[in-house]
Amino acid sequence: MITRGYKIFKYTNYAFMVFVILLTLTPFLNVVSMSFSSNSAIILGEVGIIPKGFNLGAYKRVLADPYFFTGYKNTIVYTCCSTLVSLFMTTICAYALSKKRLTGRKAIMSLIILTMIISGGLVPNFILIKSLGWINKIWAIIIPGAISHWNLFITIAFFQTLPNSLEEAAEIDGLNPIQIFAKIVLPLSKPILATITLYYAVSSWNNWFGPWVYMTTKDKYPVTLYLRSLIVGAELAAREGDVDAMQKAGFSPTTIRTATIVLVSFPILMVYPFIQKYFVKGVMIGSIKG
Amino acid sequence: MRLQTDKKNLILKKKYTLLRRINKDKYYLIMLILPVLYFLIFHLFPIFGNIIAFRKYIPGKSIFGEKWTGFYYFNLFINDPTFWRVFKNNIILSVISLIITFPIPVIFALLLNEITFMPFKRLTQTISYLPRFFSTVIVVGIIVDLLSPSTGAVNNLLKSLGFEPIFFMTEPEWFIPIYIASDIWQFTGWNSIIYLAAISGINPEMYDSASIDGANRFQQTTNITLPCIANTIIVLLVLSVGHILSVSFEKILLMQNPSIRSASEVLSTYVYRMGIENMNYSYSTAIGIFNTVISFTLLFTTNLLAKKYSETSLW
Amino acid sequence: MKKKRKTLQRIIVVFMAVAMIAGILAACGGGSKQNETTTGAEEKTTGKAEETTVQVPNKPSTWVSDSKLEVTMLFHEEANTPYKAEWPIWKYIEDMTNVKLKVQVSPATDHINKVKLLLSAGSAPDIITRIGSAGVKYEETILDIAPYLDKMPNMMSAINKFKYDIKLMKNADGRIFQLPQLFEVGIQTHALFIRSDLRKEFGMEVPKTVDDLFDYMKKCKEKYPDSFPLSQIWKEDHLYYGLGPSFGTWLGWNVGQDQIDISPITGEIKHWPSSNETREMLRYLNKLHKNGLIDPEFVTQTDDAWKNKMATNKAFVSWHWMGSMDDVVKAAKEAGNDIEFEPVLPLDSSVTHGWSCKTWRGGLVWGINAAIKDNPRFDDILKFIDILYYNKEMQERLYLGIKDEHYTEDTGGNLLRAEKYDVNKGVSSNLIKRDFGISLNDLNGYREKKWAYIDYDKRTLDFVSALVDSGKVTISENVDLRSLLTNEESERFSVKNAPRKEYIDSMMLNFIFGRNNIDNDWDAYVKECENKGSKELLEFYKKKYEEYKANQK
């Protein structure tokens, strides 16, 4: 069945993927190697994908800051909690809405689409959170973004592709929809659950804006806010003509910045390979046959 | 008299059927209580803030404004010729961007699906999504260094081939290609994840029976894989069209310089540059409402088309 | 069975209805609550008098009140000196004033947005550091301190001592929204840097005019034909900011959206981009471009690319701050290239005697949340702010630290940092800020002359005093023109500003790069600026300024 044309395609495809790897990996390796290099080597433009003038100074300085660890802990807590809440809310909402004949579906869908297109703006949202008494509380970070419209629609689309026969059979067995959802639908939805878990986890890991708006004390700030002030802050200090901030800090901002990038993004990068195992073909077959 | 009882019966019947339907769907409705509350409180309620577009806001006073101004803030931009030029820029950038960047993750996912050597496939998948984790500042820094006429790799290559160096960052015609290319580089791997997930949901028996029928790999892709993930593609397409006006504000702002500003100014950067938003929410909210109207129209049209030409749609 | 189902139906319907109503009520409740809070009395923590008063035997002169007081502050946090709750300065403040300062940290990157958000939502702390330029209109949200100047004795004495003009702090209608930094002297450390080793090699004198600089760069180009001697970062604004004053024009940073400003030298108000001074500056830059002396990448390049050029003989001249060339020099030395940079006094041109870039004595300002007016302990809070920002002893502690621990005084009365923190020993001036929070810009409202020099190295101070001796230093004392416009007026003009600025920015580059000819196209350019509203705006500003001056008399 494998034609010559397909063979040629296959090898070109492999070659193309190698090209993609080079294109996406090189800048990343460059950032990593800069974080281990000396300031002078970076200025002289000698740092490629291998560190030059090997030095851990940047890491030492980043790790010496107690707020880096506080931020890290906060980020982990915020990410875990928001991802769990989001997963729960998105899947129950999506499952119910995937039933096209549901009473009141039209009204609820209109509400969701309306709120997808129009947003209220920052100040009204802030006032809402303030009147709920959630300023400087973890709820302010977890709840307002609990359901992402995109993830919701993707999940609805996925649930709609599940064969009806399964649920009908379960209904005959006397299971109610909530039981069907928990016992039959969820186990079949591993790929989509893995995907939206990844989407929610990554977006709450990178979320500096919510905490920036709603948190008032520094011990509640996530590590991404720390990263942001380093990355954008150095540029800004220079632009504003802040002499003191510009004066030699012992390290070039580049080494500090790259070291922080590496430290902050490493854990979340590790999520994907872990989640990939749920993207295995044929999660459906076993259960359909069974 | 009889008429009245009939009417009464009809109302009762209607009520009854509604109750019956609610009763039938009660479990689903229970599941929806929390999400609906969530949308009402955290999404619907803050929308009332948009009223500020029609009212005069005075710093320190209520955020809902002090007095009605009608369409004053709308007229301010509708009568501004620069606004329309900027709007045109925005549309051009968005449309080209959507046309080019939307299909690429689908193609990438399909190509990746053809890789049969699993460890290599996983490696490619993982590495291709790395650029997603660079913040915009870093990405623009990489672009600028890469395209520098004196030290950049691209121009060094051009020079070694005997060409004149190109000032990519200051030539207006290069702005859109650079913007889109960097988007492709940064988000293809990330955006293909959802398609890979959808592909992995396909029943492998379908492929088996297709190959028994004599379909080659290419035919299998067009006849099985694509139709099976069409659902996801259409939903994402409709959503993307609905969000077409939103472009990366931060990236454009960082890429801009006076030489290319005329070509690269979009709505968000224009409002920012006017400096009018210094505590003036009315103007930017008015532009936001304008955007909403366009998004709504586009969303409804695409959804209608999707409904007409395929079985899936957003709602 | 049937009955049971019906009950269930009802329960569900009722439950859903209740849920919906609750949601709506919660939403509306939010709205009504918001009204209460914006009226100002919400700063719950502040100003709550405690019944028990503390008896302290020796009250320092900075003591605010015997009863406990809490004041909140939005603190602008710089990335290089991140906030720490352990900094001893917080304890100094409490010990000296008996007031607890509660700090809300706001990272520098988004500070102004945070200020706007908190003020609009009525949640701002009592003190807001670095409230931003006068271009931002906060109006009713910020306290007008003009009526309360008698409650600010420390501020008033600093104003008199350092010879400030209180009139210049006032708005068009006589209000004062900002608490300025009151410094005895201002220090200008932005300068033109050239490679001194090359200059000596060429046997040239230090450039005194822009033409000398041209000759010097020409020599550099002869020696290194692949180089572009003048290279800048941070876009065209930085170049205009550095070079402009040599031609008597004020552009780039510190000028703002309208590009209309008062000349700190001549006192005239002009639309600078279309002035003759600017034309001469552009003519000069165009000459540099024609001779291959200016790096065309100054509008785009990154920090690292620029440093790379400066360290590897690809560029030799740049406007920058003192001290920022050090790591370039260090890197070059590591590569075996022994280079040296020297700061150059402002260059003269055929147009004018050269001036340094425009700076202020101290540019950062505090704002006070207008809501504290309703606080029962308003007087105490105001007293605290006055002491915290302007009291000599308080500021001495916050800026210098503790004597013999953080700084020493020599027999001549000069102040020196303790050895561990001495910038002359190669230590970063950030170190004392990072470790102790001492000498933070945002907490420093009062600075005497001898304090000012403590965190600069000798080379910088030598240059600063040479600059003062040359009489070329520009410390602006003028009122910020933008503060004279009302909200409506700036709103009306800002629609026209963006297109005009876009046109001007691109045309100025066109003139530099020779895409437009200065002699042929200049008049058309000026005309187009006027078409786009520059003249109208200029007249308006002039009128406003006249009115303002008349009011001051």
Side-chain angles (χ1 to χ4, degrees):
Chain A
M1 204 77 301
I2 289 164
T3 58
R4 203 166 144 250
Y6 183 70
K7 250 187 184 165
I8 293 173
F9 163 77
K10 207 175 151 183
Y11 290 123
T12 336
N13 197 14
Y14 271 94
F16 174 72
M17 290 302 162
V18 171
F19 173 71
V20 169
I21 289 183
L22 287 179
L23 211 59
T24 46
L25 191 63
T26 323
F28 190 78
L29 288 181
N30 183 240
V31 165
V32 174
S33 82
M34 280 203 279
S35 70
F36 288 107
S37 297
S38 77
N39 188 14
S40 299
I42 293 176
I43 290 179
L44 293 171
E46 289 169 340
V47 183
I49 55 168
I50 296 159
K52 183 108 198 291
F54 187 85
N55 138 12
L56 292 170
Y59 285 93
K60 276 185 195 149
R61 209 182 109 184
V62 174
L63 295 175
D65 189 340
Y67 284 101
F68 181 79
F69 290 101
T70 323
Y72 224 99
K73 192 200 79 201
N74 290 337
T75 298
I76 292 171
V77 172
Y78 296 158
T79 304
C80 294
C81 298
S82 342
T83 309
L84 284 177
V85 171
S86 296
L87 264 182
F88 171 72
M89 294 284 280
T90 309
T91 45
I92 54 169
C93 183
Y95 182 64
L97 289 176
S98 68
K99 304 294 160 215
K100 286 199 167 164
R101 292 170 175 276
L102 183 74
T103 320
R105 182 174 186 271
K106 247 191 184 156
I108 295 170
M109 274 308 233
S110 314
L111 169 72
I112 291 172
I113 286 166
L114 180 83
T115 55
M116 176 173 77
I117 300 282
I118 318 180
S119 64
L122 184 56
V123 182
N125 275 310
F126 184 88
I127 289 170
L128 172 69
I129 297 297
K130 196 174 110 179
S131 49
L132 289 169
W134 284 358
I135 296 293
N136 216 22
K137 301 239 164 66
I138 188 170
W139 309 115
I141 293 165
I142 297 173
I143 308 294
I147 301 181
S148 130
H149 289 91
W150 285 66
N151 293 347
L152 178 68
F153 285 117
I154 292 169
T155 320
I156 293 177
F158 181 88
F159 284 145
Q160 281 174 346
T161 60
L162 291 178
N164 280 332
S165 51
L166 273 174
E167 291 167 64
E168 280 158 14
E171 222 166 324
I172 292 164
D173 290 349
L175 293 181
N176 71 36
I178 294 179
Q179 290 167 321
I180 296 175
F181 171 68
K183 289 186 181 156
I184 294 170
V185 174
L186 282 187
L188 285 180
S189 312
K190 276 180 191 152
I192 194 71
L193 292 180
T195 312
I196 64 169
T197 306
L198 183 71
Y199 280 7
Y200 277 125
V202 168
S203 76
S204 50
W205 187 274
N206 289 334
N207 177 14
W208 60 270
F209 190 73
W212 173 78
V213 173
Y214 300 121
M215 294 308 191
T216 58
T217 53
K218 199 178 171 181
D219 55 5
K220 299 264 174 71
Y221 285 171
V223 75
T224 35
L225 200 54
Y226 184 96
L227 178 70
R228 182 177 163 83
S229 25
L230 266 184
I231 289 180
V232 190
E235 214 107 312
L236 200 93
R239 268 174 190 253
E240 286 199 341
D242 191 336
V243 192
D244 295 304
M246 278 304 292
Q247 275 188 342
K248 46 175 182 162
F251 300 92
S252 130
T254 313
T255 50
I256 300 278
R257 284 196 252 178
T258 47
T260 318
I261 292 172
V262 171
L263 287 172
V264 172
S265 41
F266 188 73
I268 194 73
L269 286 178
M270 290 300 105
V271 174
Y272 190 35
F274 174 74
I275 269 176
Q276 268 177 343
K277 71 174 180 214
Y278 296 106
F279 288 8
V280 188
K281 264 184 197 162
V283 272
M284 300 282 298
I285 11 170
S287 40
I288 290 171
K289 276 181 181 165
Chain B
M1 193 63 201
R2 247 186 88 185
L3 212 72
Q4 256 183 348
T5 31
D6 265 6
K7 241 185 192 168
K8 233 180 188 171
N9 280 339
L10 205 70
I11 292 168
L12 273 174
K13 213 175 170 188
K14 256 192 187 164
K15 251 187 182 167
Y16 184 64
T17 43
L18 183 69
L19 281 178
R20 241 175 63 171
R21 287 186 58 196
I22 288 177
N23 185 37
K24 197 179 117 244
D25 290 338
K26 62 182 176 257
Y27 291 105
Y28 296 116
L29 293 175
I30 290 172
M31 287 170 106
L32 278 172
I33 289 173
L34 277 178
V36 166
L37 275 179
Y38 164 80
F39 281 108
L40 284 176
I41 298 173
F42 294 100
H43 288 275
L44 189 66
F45 169 64
I47 285 180
F48 294 115
N50 281 305
I51 204 160
I52 197 70
F54 306 94
R55 290 173 70 86
K56 169 107 197 109
Y57 169 69
I58 295 172
K61 300 282 173 60
S62 163
I63 186 66
F64 299 105
E66 292 304 304
K67 57 172 191 268
W68 291 100
T69 53
F71 285 87
Y72 172 81
Y73 290 102
F74 290 86
N75 287 330
L76 215 56
F77 67 76
I78 285 170
N79 297 325
D80 172 9
T82 321
F83 172 84
W84 292 106
R85 208 197 61 216
V86 168
F87 180 64
K88 199 181 113 200
N89 275 347
N90 204 146
I91 293 281
I92 291 172
L93 179 65
S94 305
V95 171
I96 297 180
S97 183
L98 180 74
I99 291 172
I100 295 177
T101 54
F102 188 79
I104 286 179
V106 183
I107 297 167
F108 183 71
L110 292 176
L111 288 178
L112 207 54
N113 192 40
E114 294 303 314
I115 303 280
T116 39
F117 181 49
M118 278 314 273
F120 183 72
K121 185 179 167 184
R122 285 196 178 177
L123 185 76
T124 319
Q125 231 173 304
T126 311
I127 287 172
S128 69
Y129 104 139
L130 285 181
R132 165 69 177 75
F133 291 89
F134 285 128
S135 66
T136 318
V137 185
I138 303 289
V139 172
V140 175
I142 292 174
I143 297 171
V144 170
D145 284 341
L146 205 64
L147 299 179
S148 155
S150 56
T151 52
V154 176
N155 271 308
N156 284 345
L157 186 73
L158 285 178
K159 277 186 258 180
S160 67
L161 294 173
F163 293 102
E164 282 289 300
I166 299 172
F167 286 78
F168 289 102
M169 298 306 289
T170 50
E171 300 280 350
E173 59 268 31
W174 278 102
F175 169 72
I176 293 181
I178 294 169
Y179 178 88
I180 292 175
S182 58
D183 257 14
I184 293 173
W185 173 75
Q186 203 180 358
F187 295 113
T188 298
W190 174 254
N191 290 338
S192 67
I193 291 174
I194 178 69
Y195 301 116
L196 288 167
I199 290 172
S200 67
I202 298 171
N203 186 348
E205 285 172 356
M206 291 169 82
Y207 291 103
D208 295 342
S209 53
S211 57
I212 291 164
D213 290 346
N216 64 30
R217 290 296 293 217
F218 182 72
Q219 286 165 332
Q220 286 179 19
T221 305
T222 49
N223 295 338
I224 300 171
T225 320
L226 269 180
C228 285
I229 63 170
N231 210 355
T232 313
I233 296 177
I234 288 167
V235 167
L236 283 172
L237 184 66
V238 176
L239 285 170
S240 307
V241 172
H243 286 90
I244 196 160
L245 284 176
S246 50
V247 284
S248 168
F249 165 76
E250 205 179 4
K251 186 156 144 192
I252 294 176
L253 203 65
L254 286 164
M255 281 174 70
Q256 267 180 350
N257 59 66
S259 308
I260 59 165
R261 193 168 298 153
S262 56
S264 64
E265 199 84 297
V266 293
L267 289 178
S268 47
T269 57
Y270 180 61
V271 174
Y272 168 80
R273 224 173 282 284
M274 284 173 74
I276 200 170
E277 35 152 25
N278 292 332
M279 301 292 273
N280 184 341
Y281 298 100
S282 303
Y283 187 84
S284 42
T285 313
I287 288 193
I289 290 179
F290 173 81
N291 278 357
T292 303
V293 171
I294 291 174
S295 302
F296 246 131
T297 325
L298 286 172
L299 191 72
F300 269 90
T301 325
T302 2
N303 195 56
L304 213 69
L305 290 175
K307 233 182 214 169
K308 198 171 167 191
Y309 293 105
S310 73
E311 281 144 40
T312 33
S313 63
L314 212 52
W315 63 86
Chain C
M1 185 66 198
K2 229 176 187 175
K3 220 178 179 182
K4 210 178 162 192
R5 194 178 280 166
K6 259 195 181 161
T7 345
L8 198 69
Q9 277 174 6
R10 271 184 214 135
I11 290 170
I12 290 166
V13 170
V14 168
F15 186 68
M16 286 198 58
V18 167
M20 297 264 177
I21 291 164
I24 292 160
L25 278 183
C28 298
S32 57
K33 241 187 204 165
Q34 177 266 331
N35 282 337
E36 277 163 39
T37 49
T38 40
T39 54
E42 62 90 42
E43 292 315 336
K44 38 330 136 166
T45 47
T46 49
K48 232 180 234 165
E50 251 168 51
E51 310 306 318
T52 50
T53 50
V54 199
Q55 288 305 317
V56 177
N58 302 315
K59 284 180 205 164
S61 60
T62 48
W63 201 253
V64 172
S65 161
D66 282 344
S67 57
K68 266 276 182 221
L69 178 68
E70 242 179 31
V71 177
T72 51
M73 172 195 259
L74 187 70
F75 175 72
H76 172 276
E77 181 199 47
E78 284 170 15
N80 282 335
T81 53
Y83 163 91
K84 287 191 183 86
E86 301 82 52
W87 276 342
I89 52 161
W90 309 124
K91 208 177 153 327
Y92 299 160
I93 293 172
E94 197 171 348
D95 289 349
M96 289 173 76
T97 58
N98 195 31
V99 174
K100 174 110 184 99
L101 186 65
K102 276 190 91 177
V103 176
Q104 179 175 349
V105 179
S106 161
T109 33
D110 304 281
H111 177 70
I112 283 303
N113 291 332
K114 182 97 186 184
V115 171
K116 285 183 201 165
L117 169 70
L118 292 179
L119 286 174
S120 324
S123 301
D126 303 337
I127 304 171
I128 300 155
T129 62
R130 216 178 282 204
I131 188 97
S133 69
V136 182
K137 307 276 179 198
Y138 298 110
E139 302 221 329
E140 306 300 319
T141 56
I142 295 295
L143 184 75
D144 166 25
I145 51 166
Y148 308 112
L149 289 176
D150 57 320
K151 291 185 173 143
M152 313 274 291
N154 288 298
M155 178 180 169
M156 291 315 287
S157 89
I159 285 174
N160 294 329
K161 194 171 165 190
F162 299 151
K163 301 187 177 62
Y164 275 87
D165 186 353
I166 186 104
K167 278 187 217 150
L168 290 174
M169 294 173 188
K170 288 186 177 165
N171 225 331
D173 45 9
R175 297 190 287 180
I176 304 176
F177 288 119
Q178 302 171 325
L179 295 184
Q181 287 183 314
L182 301 172
F183 289 178
E184 191 167 4
V185 288
I187 293 185
Q188 167 61 281
T189 60
H190 194 269
L192 174 68
F193 286 84
I194 67 166
R195 278 273 294 274
S196 51
D197 55 318
L198 284 179
R199 178 180 65 76
K200 286 171 194 152
E201 193 185 312
F202 302 148
M204 298 176 91
E205 290 290 306
V206 178
K208 287 200 167 54
T209 68
V210 289
D211 298 317
D212 294 347
L213 180 68
F214 178 83
D215 294 340
Y216 166 79
M217 293 202 285
K218 197 95 187 149
K219 282 262 171 57
C220 296
K221 182 88 178 177
E222 273 163 30
K223 186 160 186 216
Y224 299 101
D226 284 345
S227 69
F228 288 107
L230 171 61
S231 188
Q232 284 296 126
I233 34 171
W234 304 322
K235 309 212 166 165
E236 66 289 351
D237 277 358
H238 191 188
L239 178 67
Y240 303 153
Y241 175 73
L243 179 63
S246 285
F247 291 88
T249 180
W250 309 92
L251 293 160
W253 293 339
N254 290 347
V255 180
Q257 300 266 342
D258 306 331
Q259 296 168 312
I260 291 174
D261 209 351
I262 310 176
S263 162
I265 307 302
T266 61
E268 49 184 345
I269 302 179
K270 275 192 186 178
H271 178 250
W272 292 103
S274 57
S275 66
N276 288 338
E277 289 88 342
T278 301
R279 186 182 63 198
E280 294 315 306
M281 182 191 80
L282 294 174
R283 199 192 296 281
Y284 178 73
L285 286 172
N286 178 236
K287 191 169 108 186
L288 296 189
H289 177 69
K290 271 192 275 190
N291 287 280
L293 301 181
I294 183 166
D295 181 359
E297 288 178 75
F298 70 85
V299 273
T300 51
Q301 70 187 338
T302 59
D303 205 14
D304 284 337
W306 171 77
K307 280 183 178 161
N308 176 266
K309 285 177 183 166
M310 300 303 284
T312 55
N313 294 334
K314 292 200 190 85
F316 315 95
V317 175
S318 194
W319 271 274
H320 223 294
W321 281 279
M322 301 289 301
S324 45
M325 291 296 175
D326 294 358
D327 47 358
V328 172
V329 173
K330 190 173 156 236
K333 277 190 178 143
E334 274 175 32
N337 186 7
D338 206 356
I339 66 171
E340 205 57 62
F341 286 94
E342 63 184 348
V344 176
L345 291 174
L347 302 170
D348 298 337
S349 69
S350 57
V351 185
T352 177
H353 170 71
W355 298 99
S356 72
C357 323
K358 185 175 160 185
T359 42
W360 284 269
R361 277 201 258 175
L364 313 178
V365 286
W366 280 11
I368 305 176
N369 187 353
I372 70 162
K373 243 187 312 193
D374 307 320
N375 194 304
R377 300 194 64 188
F378 174 64
D379 284 1
D380 283 342
I381 297 175
L382 217 53
K383 187 178 171 193
F384 169 69
I385 292 171
D386 179 50
I387 286 172
L388 180 64
Y389 207 37
Y390 296 117
N391 179 275
K392 188 184 165 185
E393 279 135 78
M394 186 77 235
Q395 283 289 318
E396 206 168 36
R397 185 62 70 83
L398 293 182
Y399 190 73
L400 300 173
I402 293 172
K403 198 172 171 182
D404 296 329
E405 194 179 326
H406 302 125
Y407 74 101
T408 55
E409 193 169 350
D410 71 5
T411 44
N414 296 315
L415 301 177
L416 301 164
R417 275 276 174 240
E419 203 155 329
K420 239 171 101 184
Y421 305 105
D422 190 352
V423 273
N424 285 305
K425 303 271 184 334
V427 181
S428 156
S429 66
N430 279 331
L431 195 63
I432 195 151
K433 301 180 183 179
R434 269 209 306 268
D435 289 357
F436 301 102
I438 284 167
S439 93
L440 291 172
N441 292 331
D442 290 285
L443 297 181
N444 183 214
Y446 171 98
R447 191 186 292 179
E448 292 181 3
K449 190 175 170 182
K450 59 177 182 178
W451 303 7
Y453 298 146
I454 197 166
D455 285 325
Y456 293 105
D457 63 358
K458 195 172 169 307
R459 234 181 58 164
T460 309
L461 291 179
D462 287 346
F463 176 75
V464 169
S465 62
L467 188 62
V468 173
D469 292 344
S470 73
K472 290 179 163 187
V473 65
T474 318
I475 302 288
S476 175
E477 297 281 317
N478 287 316
V479 65
D480 191 325
L481 281 182
R482 280 163 294 164
S483 70
L484 303 183
L485 300 190
T486 66
N487 234 347
E488 275 84 9
E489 284 160 351
S490 58
E491 198 175 285
R492 193 147 46 86
F493 284 115
S494 47
V495 180
K496 281 193 164 178
N497 280 341
R500 193 182 65 249
K501 191 162 191 305
E502 183 192 307
Y503 173 74
I504 288 169
D505 287 350
S506 70
M507 280 304 283
M508 281 174 67
L509 288 185
N510 286 351
F511 285 128
I512 295 174
F513 294 129
R515 292 183 285 236
N516 284 84
N517 184 295
I518 292 203
D519 294 309
N520 302 337
D521 301 338
W522 183 262
D523 293 340
Y525 160 73
V526 173
K527 190 122 195 72
E528 186 59 28
C529 288
E530 285 172 5
N531 284 343
K532 291 184 184 300
S534 69
K535 202 171 178 181
E536 181 195 347
L537 192 59
L538 179 64
E539 293 306 320
F540 189 78
Y541 265 119
K542 279 184 173 163
K543 200 184 96 212
K544 274 277 171 182
Y545 188 58
E546 289 308 315
E547 280 172 20
Y548 164 75
K549 277 208 299 204
N551 275 344
Q552 298 303 316
K553 276 170 198 161

